[in-house]
Each structure stands twice: as C-alpha cells, then as structure tokens.
Amino acid sequence: MQTQLPAEFLATPEGSEADRILRNCVHCGFCNATCPTYQLLGDELDGPRGRIYLMKQMFEDGVASGHTRLHLDRCLTCRNCETTCPSGVEYGHLIDIGREWVETHVPRSLPDRLRREGLRRVLLAPGLFGGLLKLGRGVRAFLPASLKRRVPEARPAMTRPVSTHSRRMLLLEGCVQPDIDPGINAAAVRVLDRLGIALTAAPNAGCCGALSQHLGAVEAAREAMRRNIDSWWPAIEAGVEAIVMTASGCGSQVKDYGYLLRDDPAYAHKAACVSGLTRDLAEVLAGENLAVLEPGPARRIAFHPPCSLQHGQKVRGVIEGLLTKLGHELLPVDEAHLCCGSAGTYSILQPEIAGQLRDRKLSKLQARGPELIATANIGCQTHLAAASGVPVVHWITLLEPQA
Ligand code: SF4
Ligand code: SF4
C-alpha cells in the first residue's frame, strides 16, 4: 500500500512504525473473512481492512472523528486477522499506534473518559477489585439472575507447597485472576512442584500492562512493564529458567515487552531478555515428562483456545495435546478460531457485541454435550461462565487428582 504520512509524524518512532506496517498491506481483504466484528456487523469499517484504511487516512490527514474512534473501539484486538493475513501485516501493533493517536487527537466525552479511567483504576488498584468482588459475592444470593451470573462464585485456592527444587521459574500472579480464581496459580505451583520445578512470584510484580495499553493509557502500560522487569531482574540474573504465564492474555503482552520497550534505552535489553524467557504454562509442560502426574478422572471437554494464545502467542494445539495425552476426551469445536467476546475490558465497554459473540461461541462449545469447558485465560473463563450451561475452568486444574 502506498502511504504519504506527514514528515513530522514519520520522524517519530510511532510514525515510522505505522508507515512500515501499512506498506505491507496489499488491501486484499482476506482478513475480513475471519474478523468477528466484520462477520457480526457486516460493515467494511468494522473489519481489519477498513480499520487499516481509516488509520492510514487519519495519520495522513492529521484529523479523525468520533466515527473513526467508534470503529477502532469496536475492534477486539483478537488478532485473528494477523493469523489470516498472507502479507504478515502486524495489525495488533498498528492498532495500538492508532488508538494512542486517537486518544490524544479526539477527546472523549467526560462520561466516557470517567468510565474508562474508572474501570482501569478499579481493576488495577491493589485490594479494590478484590474488595468489590467480595462485596458482590456477599449479596450474590439477593441479586437478580442476570446480575448474579456476572459475579463469579468464590473458588478455593488450596495450598501451595514450599518447594526447594533447584529448577526455578517465576510466576506472574496477574491483576484480577488471584481474586476471581486463586486456584489457578495454586494448581500451577503444585503441578510444577510434582515435576521438580519451584514456581514462585517475585515481590512487586503486578499487572502485565495489557489492560492500560488496550484502554489507550500507553504511559501507564509502560510503567507497569518497567516495574515488572525490575521485579524479575534479580531472579533472571540468578538464572531462573522461565517466566511462566497462567493467563494467555498476560503471556501475549509480556512476550511483546521487547518490542514495546525497544526505544527505551534503559529497558530495551532487559525487556528483550524478559520476552525471550516468557512461556505460557502449556509450553513449559509440553517439554516435561508428565508420567508423574495423577490427573483426575477422564472428562468430556470442549476446549476454548483464547485469541491471545492462538493468535497473539501463536501457541496452537499444545493444551489440547496435553489434555488428550493425560486421558481426557477433547470434543471437536467448530469456529475455534473466533473470539468469545471477552477481550480484556471489551465485554464491559462493548457489552452488546461481546454478548452476541459469547452466545455464538457457547453454542459451538456446547454443541457436542461436554461435561465442562476448559480455557487458558481468566477473562474468557469469566465471560463464558456467566452464560454457560456447564462449568468453565482453567485447563491446569484438570491435571490434578481432585479435578
Ligand atoms: S491486512 Fe493482510 S489480509 Fe488484510 S487486507 Fe491487508 S494484506 Fe490483505
Ligand atoms: S483484531 Fe480481531 S476484531 Fe480487530 S480487526 Fe483484527 S480480526 Fe477484527
């Protein structure tokens, strides 16, 4: 694609990067075929090709409107279009630049700003989200059914062993996951302990930064990334084997730290090292001898691969292979490549589209009568569980005897 970005914008790191990415797009439109919002809304501007064109136009003309922002806001950042694109267009990186540009050039209304910033702060303030969730759970029994389903039930974490293994890996606890389902990280610690690996969290590590980044708060995202790198660095220097992610959304972000901080002279090298060491939990287990595990009884499972795992990290079929190897029955699921509508804060900010995508996803997941649905990201898990007829769990919990 020909571009004519203004020299001033081209001189910035974002401008030259946007230009490089735009030039790879040949406008073929193949990506529209797998875009969930294009499939649902049928509008060219709600598909990747249209959004790319909108961004090119706004960068070139230096103007954008609320109309431009609406179509960018409706994008799930699922990156299904990247998987489909034959030209290797890095749509995820382009829309990050586009969103930052829109946030600075097209002011949102006060209610919209308050809603987005309020959401970001509630989810990221230590203790606040957990306190509100506790409150919601306390009055859950008195809530109408539609609201009750949105408040996830409390799940026990059970114990974490204190391991003394010489093999050591770092765990990112995450921001909302420990409050919603503390059993996920606890199960990961126990499973790796049985495999002879000590999995521990570094003090001060917190949100991976994805939440702020996808809400256009780019500097807050960078601060989160630098804080995590500082927290992990002593363990990395001490020879830790990997940084393990139990939520694929976080994994996709941390694997991208090297790219996102490439222009930061103080952090570029460290960020690249962190990204190089980051592994989804499934990638770690795939390289281990699982014979020592005693998984629970065989279950009929429908697996939902989160977009952040299959399109963001390009990790495909690994969890399905592990569950099958351990005796579970994996049912075929149609449209497995499509987003469930969770997409970070998308399900809160775009509830109508997110609800339609969830209904469509659940109809495919439940089509062959599974006992339960397994997934690999807390956002998808919570979003699907709010309307599912069967339990929705993180796959790691199926590798333990009590599952
Ligand atoms: S992003 Fe890729 S698939 Fe989509 S129009 Fe551009 S070149 Fe074609
Ligand atoms: S990231 Fe997902 S929703 Fe956004 S344009 Fe690409 S396929 Fe469509």
Side-chain angles (χ1 to χ4, degrees):
M1 182 193 285
Q2 297 276 334
T3 58
Q4 288 181 321
L5 271 53
E8 219 172 79
F9 184 50
L10 266 178
T12 65
E14 294 77 24
S16 63
E17 191 61 358
D19 191 59
R20 181 186 69 79
I21 298 171
L22 284 169
R23 281 174 180 270
N24 284 335
C25 176
V26 295
H27 243 58
C28 63
F30 287 170
C31 49
N32 279 354
T34 57
C35 172
T37 54
Y38 180 75
Q39 288 196 7
L40 216 59
L41 304 168
D43 182 340
E44 172 73 13
L45 296 180
D46 283 315
R49 182 173 60 179
R51 290 184 178 120
I52 288 170
Y53 188 71
L54 277 176
M55 286 188 270
K56 170 181 158 7
Q57 221 173 16
M58 80 182 186
F59 295 145
E60 286 182 342
D61 300 347
V63 287
S65 64
H67 178 253
T68 314
R69 194 180 52 217
L70 172 77
H71 294 292
L72 298 192
D73 279 354
R74 281 188 189 154
C75 171
L76 294 140
T77 330
C78 67
R79 296 169 65 186
N80 203 338
C81 46
E82 280 189 25
T83 300
T84 310
C85 176
S87 304
V89 172
E90 295 157 58
Y91 176 89
H93 290 149
L94 184 66
I95 193 145
D96 276 349
I97 300 169
R99 283 188 170 138
E100 190 180 4
W101 198 98
V102 164
E103 288 305 319
T104 48
H105 290 77
V106 190
R108 290 181 186 273
S109 66
L110 184 65
D112 197 16
R113 277 208 309 272
L114 290 176
R115 186 168 66 127
R116 292 168 70 91
E117 189 54 20
L119 182 61
R120 202 177 71 78
R121 286 182 188 267
V122 166
L123 294 176
L124 294 181
L128 183 54
F129 175 74
L132 290 173
L133 185 60
K134 221 179 237 174
L135 198 68
R137 281 170 174 160
V139 297
R140 196 172 184 274
F142 310 104
L143 295 175
S146 59
L147 216 56
K148 194 188 268 184
R149 306 206 69 159
R150 297 181 77 97
V151 181
E153 280 183 67
R155 297 187 193 212
M158 297 188 292
T159 54
R160 291 188 188 199
V162 181
S163 346
T164 51
H165 303 300
S166 57
R167 290 186 66 191
R168 306 198 73 79
M169 295 186 186
L170 281 172
L171 167 73
L172 175 63
E173 297 275 8
C175 47
V176 296
Q177 181 172 291
D179 289 314
I180 297 176
D181 192 349
I184 296 172
N185 287 337
V189 172
R190 290 191 297 269
V191 168
L192 287 200
D193 181 59
R194 293 185 76 113
L195 296 171
I197 299 166
L199 184 64
T200 50
N204 302 324
C207 174
C208 62
L211 207 140
S212 294
Q213 183 156 325
H214 294 153
L215 285 170
V218 178
E219 200 38 54
R222 289 192 187 115
E223 274 170 33
M225 293 187 257
R226 293 185 196 111
R227 182 210 54 225
N228 282 348
I229 292 170
D230 287 340
S231 311
W232 291 330
W233 200 250
I236 292 171
E237 286 193 313
V240 82
E241 260 183 72
I243 308 169
V244 181
M245 303 290 139
T246 55
S248 60
C250 305
S252 183
Q253 177 80 3
V254 180
K255 284 184 178 181
D256 217 20
Y257 276 14
Y259 173 86
L260 295 167
L261 292 176
R262 68 197 181 284
D263 295 319
D264 182 328
Y267 281 87
H269 168 69
K270 289 181 178 179
C273 292
V274 162
S275 292
L277 277 172
T278 301
R279 303 276 180 279
D280 185 82
L281 181 59
E283 293 178 283
V284 174
L285 288 182
E288 302 295 324
N289 176 8
L290 304 184
V292 294
L293 298 181
E294 295 162 22
R299 315 290 290 266
R300 277 169 62 81
I301 299 168
F303 182 69
H304 166 56
C307 298
S308 46
L309 189 71
Q310 58 170 328
H311 306 304
Q313 299 187 50
K314 322 284 183 222
V315 173
R316 300 185 188 113
V318 179
I319 296 171
E320 295 90 320
L322 286 168
L323 291 173
T324 307
K325 200 168 165 183
L326 290 166
H328 295 294
E329 183 188 356
L330 267 283
L331 302 173
V333 178
D334 297 335
E335 296 187 351
H337 62 287
L338 279 187
C339 181
C340 68
S342 167
T345 52
Y346 191 94
S347 59
I348 300 166
L349 296 171
Q350 303 281 346
E352 219 170 284
I353 300 174
Q356 288 179 44
L357 288 172
R358 177 176 58 197
D359 292 346
R360 181 169 171 161
K361 176 59 67 181
L362 281 172
S363 76
K364 306 295 178 194
L365 284 164
Q366 296 179 120
R368 292 177 173 89
E371 279 175 64
L372 48 85
I373 294 168
T375 189
N377 192 51
I378 188 66
C380 309
Q381 185 182 323
T382 314
H383 182 58
L384 291 171
S388 171
V390 295
V392 185
V393 301
H394 190 285
W395 65 274
I396 191 66
T397 61
L398 300 169
L399 269 58
E400 292 202 292
Q402 76 279 2

